[in-house]
Amino acid sequence: MKLTIVGSGYVGLVTGTCFAEVGHHVTCVDNDEKKVKQLQDGIIPIYEPGLETLVRKNVQLGRLKFTSSIAEGVENGDVIFIAVPTPPQPDGSVDLSYVEKVARSIAEVLTGYRVIVDKSTVPVKTGEKVAETIRRYRKGNVEFDVVSNPEFLREGSAVADLMNPDRIVIGTNGERSAAIMKEVYQPFNAPIMVTDLNSAELIKHASNSFLALKISYINAVAAICEASGADIGKVADGMGADKRIGRDFLYAGLGYGGSCFPKDLSAFIRISEDLGYSFGLLKEVERINADQLDRFLKKMRKALWVFRDKKIGQLGLAFKGNTDDIRSSVGINLALKMMEEGAILKAFDPKAMEKCAISYPKIPLVEDPYEVAKDADALVVATEWNDFKELDWLKIKSLMRTPLVFDGRNLLIPEEMKLLGFEYFSVGR
Ligand code: NAD
């Protein structure tokens, strides 16, 4: 099929590439001309495992191309996916101006029936607004349908998630668009759930909020573990073995960050409020999450006494492992807070340093993970990169001035760290 994706970021680029991989002909549109030029030159502006190979392959096969022209995208796609940002506004509500602008641009160049699919994460009833906008700005009575198709990929495993989704949600009020969308996703061999437009939109916010809730829940239990001497790893294993609960997302740490959970949660609280329901449960999830970094800093302060003039090495800046994304990263907040208190910081991340250098030039970066340990009074693990597990921790200890390790992601094994001679601190154990 001929598909167009508007927005070539983490969602749009990976979605477009995976659609091409299963045989569709895909046009990726982005209004960032620099990004389009990079993509046309074979430079992939984001890091996602496996993505670069698939982009190259599908460009070569002529199934994937990039443009900054929305008219070209609308002309070349029978189905047009909107995958542009939906950032938070200061009051927590969603800034829908990107989606509205794309809807208008599509309407202005629409000449024949198209299915317009919202893949961005949007509040319930946005699809109705998109349809209204297109009706208003289209020329004549050209036909179209609006569909909601929320995306559930996780950064760091986006390609694998897109190629093997748990489910595909298609929200539409029309049979014609439902049939077309089923054809788009037929090669993926995954369960397809067709719902009405509003339900599909709600599924995304309800899912992300529930996942954030699981993280805050386990972080709250971790606090009880610390106070009682229990081990959060064992507690989570015991809980997670119950199929009704499941082990996923029961990992205590510094709390959730990233471009989705914080914004989607506050959006869902706002959406609920606008619809007349006060979602107090989710407000508590936010509070626990914000508290988590403060509690960790308190733990560090207790062990280090003062931050001022202490040399601290930080491993990890990305908001999670396997990505270069630092949007709303707790690791970045942690680095900034330690620096505010006078710590002399050196940080390393396997993939996120380029983005960090651009957005946070004040955070000192080093090119080698062992360099962060050199003469350090303490080391902090802020991102769950598996690479950090593989480091030579004996060498790290020999490089440090005093061997204190604060593991904000429970990445390392306490007994092993103690055997190596570290004073080791983690979360909930
Ligand atoms: P992103 O910032 O990585 O990418 C968005 C892209 O859209 C950028 O390249 C930007 O230049 C482009 N863009 C903005 N306005 C445009 C316009 N008018 N025309 C063409 N291109 C335009 O964002 P993302 O992380 O891919 O997120 C996109 C949406 O998907 C958001 O609603 C987000 O909540 C949702 N989502 C994200 C994830 C994730 O893990 N990142 C997962 C599921 C859903």
Side-chain angles (χ1 to χ4, degrees):
M1 295 173 83
K2 283 161 52 191
L3 309 178
T4 289
I5 322 281
V6 185
S8 305
Y10 284 89
V11 169
L13 180 60
V14 184
T15 307
T17 305
C18 292
F19 280 155
E21 178 64 13
V22 299
H24 295 309
H25 285 263
V26 180
T27 306
C28 286
V29 182
D30 205 288
N31 66 351
D32 179 343
E33 295 198 3
K34 197 174 139 218
K35 192 179 260 188
V36 172
K37 174 87 176 59
Q38 279 183 325
L39 287 162
Q40 285 168 341
D41 292 344
I43 300 162
I44 315 300
I46 57 166
Y47 171 73
E48 262 310 320
L51 181 64
E52 194 166 341
T53 317
L54 286 193
V55 172
R56 292 239 165 86
K57 175 183 159 192
N58 285 287
V59 167
Q60 251 167 24
L61 288 171
R63 291 199 299 239
L64 182 62
K65 62 179 177 180
F66 305 99
T67 176
S68 55
S69 159
I70 188 100
E72 189 184 330
V74 174
E75 172 69 30
N76 285 335
D78 296 325
V79 183
I80 300 159
F81 291 81
I82 303 175
V84 294
T86 48
Q89 308 203 80
D91 66 355
S93 65
V94 183
D95 176 358
L96 288 165
S97 61
Y98 297 83
V99 173
E100 191 266 353
K101 189 175 169 200
V102 174
R104 245 186 308 130
S105 317
I106 293 172
E108 279 161 3
V109 290
L110 208 57
T111 51
Y113 177 78
R114 296 286 185 275
V115 180
I116 294 143
V117 185
D118 184 24
K119 206 168 229 332
S120 294
T121 301
V122 293
V124 60
K125 290 176 169 294
T126 298
E128 291 174 4
K129 285 281 179 201
V130 168
E132 190 182 291
T133 303
I134 296 174
R135 267 194 300 274
R136 231 173 243 160
Y137 287 89
R138 70 183 160 176
K139 297 201 176 73
N141 271 340
V142 54
E143 278 187 283
F144 70 94
D145 275 311
V146 171
V147 168
S148 164
N149 171 221
E151 182 48 60
F152 301 99
L153 66 79
R154 295 163 300 174
E155 285 179 28
S157 55
V159 172
D161 289 348
L162 258 156
M163 296 305 286
N164 304 290
D166 287 342
R167 80 305 204 183
I168 285 149
V169 173
I170 294 169
T172 173
N173 301 335
E175 277 173 25
R176 183 178 181 187
S177 54
I180 293 173
M181 289 301 289
K182 281 184 189 164
E183 206 183 325
V184 170
Y185 279 107
Q186 185 269 330
F188 288 89
N189 226 348
I192 294 178
M193 305 173 69
V194 180
T195 71
D196 57 280
L197 202 51
N198 290 348
S199 300
E201 290 170 336
L202 211 55
I203 286 170
K204 176 64 190 178
H205 272 126
S207 300
N208 269 9
S209 299
F210 188 77
L211 293 171
L213 179 147
K214 264 188 112 174
I215 296 173
S216 278
Y217 186 84
I218 206 66
N219 279 332
V221 177
I224 308 301
C225 286
E226 283 178 14
S228 63
D231 179 332
I232 191 62
K234 292 184 182 130
V235 174
D237 282 346
M239 288 171 63
D242 185 328
K243 283 195 199 77
R244 295 168 303 175
I245 298 173
R247 184 66 172 87
D248 290 351
F249 280 76
L250 289 185
Y251 292 92
L254 287 168
Y256 59 79
S259 70
C260 290
F261 284 173
K263 92 166 162 69
D264 292 351
L265 199 76
S266 55
F268 200 32
I269 292 170
R270 264 309 291 256
I271 293 161
S272 310
E273 240 151 46
D274 290 348
L275 292 167
Y277 182 78
S278 174
F279 218 142
L281 178 66
L282 297 185
K283 290 181 194 162
E284 189 58 13
V285 170
E286 276 188 332
R287 190 200 60 78
I288 294 169
N289 197 58
D291 206 32
Q292 208 57 15
L293 179 58
D294 291 339
R295 285 170 34 78
F296 192 74
L297 280 163
K298 211 182 268 176
K299 193 179 292 178
M300 291 187 77
R301 250 180 246 119
K302 195 172 161 200
L304 290 167
W305 192 17
V306 280
F307 270 112
R308 186 151 305 280
D309 295 336
K310 291 270 161 61
K311 286 189 179 163
I312 298 187
Q314 179 166 330
L315 290 172
L317 293 159
F319 86 93
K320 62 187 270 195
N322 277 340
T323 180
D324 60 348
D325 196 351
I326 54 165
R327 291 178 287 180
S328 300
S329 165
V330 185
I332 296 279
N333 287 345
L334 173 64
L336 296 175
K337 289 206 168 179
M338 290 192 295
M339 285 168 71
E340 257 171 43
E341 293 195 33
I344 303 162
L345 197 77
K346 274 196 276 183
F348 168 83
D349 188 283
K351 295 284 177 203
M353 298 216 285
E354 210 179 305
K355 293 208 160 98
C356 183
I358 295 168
S359 305
Y360 302 95
K362 281 198 183 130
I363 298 180
L365 304 172
V366 290
E367 290 299 324
D368 181 307
Y370 294 101
E371 188 62 27
V372 299
K374 220 168 163 190
D375 298 325
D377 297 292
L379 208 93
V380 50
V381 179
T383 307
E384 62 276 36
W385 277 101
N386 270 329
D387 307 39
F388 299 153
K389 275 192 210 165
E390 317 296 329
L391 292 173
D392 180 348
W393 283 90
L394 209 53
K395 180 175 166 186
I396 289 188
K397 186 174 163 260
S398 70
L399 290 168
M400 292 177 75
R401 187 149 65 176
T402 52
L404 275 77
V405 170
F406 297 90
D407 182 353
R409 297 295 176 186
N410 290 358
L411 192 73
L412 305 158
I413 300 166
E415 294 73 24
E416 286 179 9
M417 294 303 281
K418 278 171 197 154
L419 267 180
L420 288 173
F422 284 101
E423 240 183 287
Y424 176 77
F425 305 85
S426 53
V427 182
R429 51 183 203 172

